Amino acid sequence: KRFTDWEETKKEVDDRLLEDYQVYATKLYNDRQIRITYASYLTAANGDAEIALNFLVKAFPAYDRDVLEALVQKTDE
């Protein structure tokens, strides 16, 4: 019985770790895509950060403008 309980607990922990990792990996991927897109828009806007950010807001409507701005500022540093 203890072995069966241990196996079930181990599986639950493994599942939670995998789920946490997937959430983290997805966030990293999405953040990277936003930065790549912003870089493209910045080039297309001849370096005008405001125009590039406006396009980015339209391209990623699920994100708040402040969040997007904070993400792209990380790449500027």
Side-chain angles (χ1 to χ4, degrees):
K1 167 97 172 113
R2 274 193 278 166
F3 182 75
T4 303
D5 290 345
W6 176 82
E7 282 184 321
E8 289 175 11
T9 301
K10 182 184 177 306
K11 182 179 178 340
E12 288 174 18
V13 170
D14 289 348
D15 289 347
R16 281 185 284 174
L17 285 172
L18 180 59
E19 184 180 315
D20 288 348
Y21 172 77
Q22 288 172 333
V23 167
Y24 176 73
T26 299
K27 182 184 177 341
L28 287 178
Y29 175 81
N30 290 341
D31 290 357
R32 184 172 183 268
Q33 290 304 112
I34 289 168
R35 289 183 183 113
I36 290 169
T37 303
Y38 175 75
S40 299
Y41 290 160
L42 194 58
T43 300
N46 293 324
D48 189 322
E50 185 64 27
I51 291 173
L53 186 58
N54 287 339
F55 280 124
L56 196 64
V57 168
K58 291 178 183 178
F60 294 92
Y63 288 82
D64 183 61
R65 181 185 180 92
D66 294 336
V67 171
L68 290 172
E69 192 168 10
L71 275 171
V72 298
Q73 285 179 355
K74 288 181 184 178
T75 60
D76 293 344
E77 295 174 351

